Amino acid sequence: MKKNSSMRFLLSFGVFIFGFTIQSFAQNVVLPEVKIVAVNYKYLNSVNDKETAMPVQRLEREAAAYDIKTASFYEDEYDNYFVSFYIPEGKILASYDKDGKLLRTAEKFKDTALPPAVRQAVSKRFPEWKITRDVYLVNYHESTGATKRYKILLENGDKRIKVTTDENGEFLK
């Protein structure tokens, strides 16, 4: 009996010591340095909302996150850089300063999903008309923010009309 209890004690003590020694042989893993890119939040807050079509949001995020200093054509002596971003649905021409701050954009997207406010305003004012084409235009400037317009082509049989609205569905022309 005494032999059994001393054997259990030695076994327990051995497991206890083994647990401490196994931790002493653990590896230290050094993780690579994480680089945080400054994003142009003022631009994103001005142009993005929940109703903006997904392809437009993706390209606008790409323009906001673009780091001009990593471009092959970057040189400290120039004050401004113009960079174009393209997707099949549209394009953005963006102007950056030498520090990477987004100064202004000119954006044009064709046949994107219209926000609910614009669709409702058009269908209410033109109930028998069908939306056949639309163009979404955004002009951003760092001091004034963004202006957004939708140019919409409507058809009713042989008749066609063009209307322009803002992002809230207010008619401009």
Side-chain angles (χ1 to χ4, degrees):
M1 265 301 215
K2 193 170 185 176
K3 192 175 187 184
N4 244 354
S5 65
S6 62
M7 187 63 127
R8 269 192 244 149
F9 172 75
L10 284 175
L11 186 60
S12 298
F13 184 71
V15 170
F16 180 73
I17 295 296
F18 180 72
F20 277 118
T21 58
I22 201 83
Q23 292 176 4
S24 66
F25 293 112
Q27 294 179 352
N28 290 333
V29 178
V30 178
L31 296 175
E33 192 173 310
V34 177
K35 182 180 178 185
I36 299 173
V37 178
V39 179
N40 291 291
Y41 289 106
K42 186 176 178 183
Y43 165 72
L44 284 178
N45 288 338
S46 185
V47 297
N48 258 343
D49 58 32
K50 292 179 183 175
E51 278 85 34
T52 305
M54 285 308 292
V56 175
Q57 287 183 17
R58 281 193 300 259
L59 196 60
E60 288 174 339
R61 278 191 239 123
E62 185 74 26
Y66 186 73
D67 187 7
I68 193 71
K69 292 182 178 183
T70 62
S72 61
F73 53 84
Y74 178 79
E75 293 182 23
D76 279 339
E77 63 190 54
Y78 298 117
D79 291 334
N80 292 322
Y81 294 90
F82 296 97
V83 180
S84 297
F85 300 90
Y86 295 95
I87 57 173
E89 294 87 355
K91 58 188 170 187
I92 296 177
L93 175 62
S95 173
Y96 298 89
D97 68 5
K98 64 182 176 182
D99 297 322
K101 182 178 180 185
L102 188 53
L103 302 175
R104 60 186 173 273
T105 65
E107 306 174 26
K108 183 177 183 179
F109 299 93
K110 292 182 180 181
D111 297 323
T112 62
L114 296 173
V118 174
R119 282 194 313 262
Q120 291 169 1
V122 170
S123 66
K124 184 177 180 181
R125 187 165 175 183
F126 302 98
E128 300 297 319
W129 294 75
K130 178 182 169 188
I131 298 173
T132 56
R133 276 191 273 158
D134 66 84
V135 176
Y136 176 48
L137 302 169
V138 180
N139 291 313
Y140 169 78
H141 195 280
E142 67 171 329
S143 61
T144 59
T147 57
K148 304 174 188 179
R149 293 178 301 165
Y150 290 90
K151 291 186 174 187
I152 303 167
L153 178 65
L154 301 171
E155 289 183 358
N156 186 359
D158 294 343
K159 300 175 187 175
R160 291 181 165 183
I161 58 172
K162 292 181 181 179
V163 296
T164 304
T165 71
D166 64 6
E167 72 270 15
N168 300 320
E170 306 267 335
F171 289 92
L172 303 175
K173 284 186 181 180

